[in-house]
Amino acid sequence: ANAGIWTYSDDFFIGLAARQLLPLTISGTEIRMIDHLYFTAGYRFLVNRTVSIIPSAHARMGLITPLQIDVAIRVDWGNKFWIGLAYRKIDAVAGLVGFNISPLFKLGYAYDYTLSKIQGYSSNTHEIILGFQPKCNRGSSHKICPAYL
């Protein structure tokens, strides 16, 4: 069982989610799926009419795993093009770039550079991002949910 809550405005977003609320053992193994908690928050600062700076953070924690924290900052130009940096505590740093294909779809690229002990065995990571942002309201006053993610 999973549960979560998400809220946002034109300038902020915040969410909390819990996964595996009911412990589950995978049949035929001794592997047991346990609780994980996720917290996400961010805020959009308007620099001028077309440029926004969007810092955000994401934390996740399991009962037997250490707290993992990601922080990111993104600069958005007119809700059409964005570029950013992200840092995952003791693990990686990433560069991000992307653009909005349409009001509903965005396309991006990320390059993760590994900082952890697996650096000698990892050739880092290239990621292609395809995002879908559904409309929240029907009619002429529809909004993207939320447009600055």
Side-chain angles (χ1 to χ4, degrees):
N2 304 316
I5 186 167
W6 179 263
T7 189
Y8 60 92
S9 74
D10 288 339
D11 293 320
F12 82 92
F13 58 93
I14 189 167
L16 178 65
R19 300 200 53 177
Q20 299 303 112
L21 290 172
L22 303 174
L24 172 71
T25 302
I26 298 174
S27 64
T29 72
E30 299 203 16
I31 297 172
R32 189 169 180 208
M33 307 289 282
I34 57 169
D35 303 20
H36 282 78
L37 299 174
Y38 301 86
F39 175 76
T40 302
Y43 191 85
R44 178 175 65 164
F45 295 95
L46 295 173
V47 176
N48 59 39
R49 287 182 152 177
T50 58
V51 177
S52 300
I53 296 175
I54 307 154
S56 62
H58 180 79
R60 57 196 162 279
M61 182 178 66
L63 282 177
I64 60 171
T65 59
L67 176 67
Q68 294 179 320
I69 298 173
D70 298 358
V71 292
I73 189 158
R74 226 176 70 191
V75 179
D76 181 281
W77 284 272
N79 204 24
K80 294 178 182 168
F81 173 77
W82 46 270
I83 189 168
L85 290 172
Y87 173 74
R88 180 173 298 126
K89 182 183 168 193
I90 311 172
D91 183 48
V93 64
L96 315 157
V97 64
F99 65 95
N100 294 335
I101 300 169
S102 73
L104 294 178
F105 293 97
K106 63 183 175 181
L107 181 65
Y109 169 78
Y111 179 76
D112 288 16
Y113 180 77
T114 304
L115 301 173
S116 66
K117 293 178 183 178
I118 66 166
Q119 183 180 35
Y121 308 98
S122 170
S123 59
N124 306 310
T125 305
H126 297 272
E127 299 173 20
I128 302 296
I129 302 158
L130 179 59
F132 172 68
Q133 298 173 307
K135 295 178 183 177
C136 297
N137 300 331
R138 304 207 188 281
S140 61
S141 65
H142 71 272
K143 289 184 177 180
I144 301 297
C145 294
Y148 50 88
L149 283 178

